[in-house]
Amino acid sequence: MEQEKIAIIGGGVAAMTAALYLTEQANWQQQRQITVYQQGWRLGGKGASGRNKAMGQRIEEHGLHVWFGAYVNSFKTIETVYDKLQRPSTSALSTWQQAFKPHSFIALQEHIDEQWQTWPINFPLLPGNPANGSLDITVWDFVKMTLAWLKEWIPQCELAATGRTKSTQLTTKKPRDKYLLQHFYQQVSALVADSSSAWQTFTNDIQNLNQEITSTPSLLVDKLNQFVQSNNTLQPHLSEKKDSLVIWYIVRKLKRWLSEEIIELLDDNAELRRIYICADLAIAMLVGLIKDKVYRDGFAVINKYDFRQWLLKNGANKQYSVDSAPVRGFYDLVFAYPQGDFNKPNVEAGVAAIAMLRIALCYRGGVMWKMQAGMGDVIFAPLYELLKQRGVKFEFFHQLQQLTPGVDSTGKHCVETVLFQQQVSLNTPQEYQPLVNVKNLPCWPSEPLYQQIDSVQAELLQQNNINLESFWSDWPARYKAHFGAELPTKTLQVNEDFDRLILGVSVASLEHVCPQLLAIDANFAAQAKNVLSVATQASQLWLTKTDQQLGWQYMPASEEGPILSGFSEPFDTWAAMQNLVEKEQWPVNDTPQNIAYFCSAFPCQAYPPQTDHSFPARAKAQVKANLSQLVTTNLQPLWPSAYNNNDFDWSVLYASNATEQARLDQQYWRVNVDPSERYVLSVTGSSQYRLATDGTVFSNLLITGDWIKTGVNAGCVEAAVMAGMQTARTLCGHPAQISGEDAFQSR
């Protein structure tokens, strides 16, 4: 049997996931040849990281890389990688459990009375391996889990109301509402063993057909949890409509009580305000899931709304909840600011709702999991090692220029040729060897290993500070000026060099690398136009003091540093990453004590043509200015001890042979403006344009990445992994099951 030749373009999460599952079958090499073509010197895409040899082999990332405990498919995949790779026990990270550690401490920032207040949240550690979790849960499952949280919050609000002589008695008088409570009682009475006076009063009012039915908030939420857990409720085509109306009525009644009795207590009680916000958001989401018939039509039905708009539509309090720290924190998490405009947040309600519910309700272990080295070290180095062992070929320094369409033997559209620019010539006939060893851990360097590159080219690259990963690089012009010739190219021809093509570049690259394909396929063009992306900015500070020495006041029992969001721009997210110091290679007697990561969206309304070679430098200079603002002004509410009389203490920054502000120059910052580095957005109404991996008209083309149609439809590792799994399944039938991929489909 002739082998099928598969060319994979790009080395991001989705592309490498596809390669992994394509090589899972024991006899895969008898069926196919796989070659990966990668621009520059490393794999990773938006998740790439590098080690800076000149700076203590420090880890330099594209941004904050943390996984959620609800990333079921991602953990299944990385568990497979480490289990199959079987690194020796002497390796720094030989198992996935060593590579990831659960993290429970989250902090959100509230801006109250012109001051920043910290809202610390310590999620419980839950038993289990995230790889064994499931995202295949129904809307009713979400309803049940959300009501369980309301059962925790409503009694706390009721206790506060009692302490302030507020009413905790609820009455129902309208015949329709009384009818719903009678149905509710009939469903739960056999399940209840409750001798409380509140239950006895409620029972008597129901049984005696009194003119009004009396209850309390705690009673209703407690019995509502029993109601939804009963085997006799929420049955499709039986009592589902009536049961949903019961839930809708009761949570709206709880909402009215909160509005009438609790709101005026919030301004002088931070703890109660936060409980109210959680309860109010939960109620709004419950109302929306039922009123908008998400339980019947799937989460896609509400993607026509922005998430904030949907919350308002379903009764969320505008003053306290709609712009609250949890909501702002989610928008920050997914960089939901088209063109980096923080005044115009935008994310699809269905995408946001299912993501928030999964994050909070579906995790195992920790709500988050921290990588114990750079993402390149933890994810892409072991992936590369395993795929190399299996016989996958890697062609580094191949920059995609153009895909050209054609027609196959059956008359269908296909990709006929693939044009690459060969960025450098190697000085050895062997394949480029990309990894370096740092403290017994294979890692990607932060720049090419120049000793493997033709010496003249290597010197020219270094002299001109050429970034081979940049869309705006002037390397072709520099090369031509020096050698008097164009950079060499390589053309792949269908049926000769490849049979199937996996396109793993990101969505913003499509207009540059395949305009001829977009001109043929209207749906593909619509996807490229409507699935937007945004530039991001990231910085890392190496510090001479711990978080506590900087004045950070919140230390959970786990002694974890925070992952914090909802903060002021230009950097709204901070992650304390002290755990990474030991994975770097600093002088024994001169080691940083701490590391802080910051990231945010980057304002950029338009991108210049490829000939504007100075654009990345200008954008990066703006990030440095933003970083300077962060440390000189913005960080004071979080790190008060890093300031003397409101002036930042520059000695807090770890640096070698530098004083005062010059210490900032030795930190790390970057701007992610390149087409394949921009973060994929889920703006209102955009999910409908996402195609499946085989959704184009080109018979031999598979698209993959967090920008295609998955059960997430948002920019994140889990979406990229699911996309890669779908791509592999289309080609070889494996994996058969992908958790959560049908979330947006109607029942």
Side-chain angles (χ1 to χ4, degrees), residues 231-273:
N231 291 329
N232 297 321
T233 58
L234 305 179
Q235 295 297 314
H237 312 302
L238 294 176
S239 61
E240 182 179 70
K241 183 176 181 180
K242 189 184 298 183
D243 293 342
S244 67
L245 287 174
V246 167
I247 300 168
W248 183 74
Y249 168 70
I250 290 177
V251 297
R252 288 179 73 248
K253 194 164 190 67
L254 294 173
K255 164 70 177 177
R256 285 195 295 272
W257 173 75
L258 289 169
S259 299
E260 292 169 359
E261 304 294 336
I262 300 299
I263 279 186
E264 64 182 56
L265 307 179
L266 303 184
D267 289 344
D268 58 356
N269 188 329
E271 182 178 359
L272 182 62
R273 181 180 68 246

Side-chain angles (χ1 to χ4, degrees), residues 575-588:
M577 303 296 284
Q578 185 175 347
N579 60 300
L580 297 184
V581 172
E582 65 177 21
K583 293 298 190 299
E584 299 176 338
Q585 200 167 45
W586 299 98
V588 175

